[in-house]
Amino acid sequence: MAESIAKYVIEQGSMTGLSKDIFVASAGLSAGDGLPISRETRSSLEKLSLKHDGHSKRVTAAMIRKADVTFVMTESHLLAARRLVDHDESQDRIVLLDPKGDIEDPIGKGQAAYDSLSVRFMKVIPKQLAEYLK
């Protein structure tokens, strides 16, 4: 969901100074490789008139090292991602997606939780892209 929303924000071109050539990818610390998105995620994205055709992938140290910035949803994700690149300068480029605090995973909490997450992502993702990628 975050990947689709970030791509939408970048591609619509409404953020002055943000290059449309930014590469966006989503990966999880405990994701299984190659799984399709959940029906709840698909439904939430469709409500925003967005689509996602990708599959899940597990984040790797190489991905983090290559990224200009790595956004994570929770403080525990932040610590785990930093452990992947222990003693590496890329640790400093791993930040919480929402500086106000953790973003709870909606798995198992029903469609309303996914819809709420999509609304929150639509608020925080543009702000963070503007902050870290200009």
Side-chain angles (χ1 to χ4, degrees):
M1 188 183 307
E3 179 179 336
S4 292
I5 291 172
K7 286 178 178 179
Y8 166 75
V9 168
I10 292 165
E11 289 168 4
Q12 74 175 347
S14 64
M15 297 180 65
T16 306
L18 192 62
S19 170
K20 287 187 178 184
D21 295 330
I22 295 170
F23 174 76
V24 175
S26 178
L29 287 159
S30 59
D33 285 327
L35 299 174
I37 63 172
S38 69
R39 62 178 167 75
E40 295 92 349
T41 297
R42 186 173 311 287
S43 177
S44 291
L45 289 172
E46 286 172 355
K47 290 174 186 173
L48 297 171
S49 298
L50 302 178
K51 292 183 180 182
H52 183 75
D53 59 0
H55 292 82
S56 64
K57 55 194 151 294
R58 186 178 296 259
V59 70
T60 66
M63 289 175 185
I64 294 171
R65 286 185 181 107
K66 188 175 180 178
D68 291 323
V69 64
T70 300
F71 295 114
V72 296
M73 290 176 52
T74 67
E75 188 72 32
S76 64
H77 291 158
L78 180 79
L79 296 172
R82 286 183 175 168
R83 278 194 300 274
L84 282 175
V85 290
D86 203 14
H87 307 296
D88 191 309
E89 65 187 35
S90 57
Q91 282 187 333
D92 298 334
R93 298 189 313 266
I94 305 169
V95 297
L96 281 174
L97 179 58
D98 189 341
K100 293 180 181 176
D102 285 359
I103 298 174
E104 193 173 338
D105 194 323
I107 292 175
K109 296 185 175 117
Q111 188 61 53
Y114 284 81
D115 292 345
S116 178
L117 178 60
S118 69
V119 169
R120 188 168 179 189
F121 278 168
M122 288 296 286
K123 291 177 184 174
V124 299
I125 289 173
K127 289 178 185 175
Q128 291 295 75
L129 290 175
E131 173 73 20
Y132 285 94
L133 298 178
K134 280 195 174 183

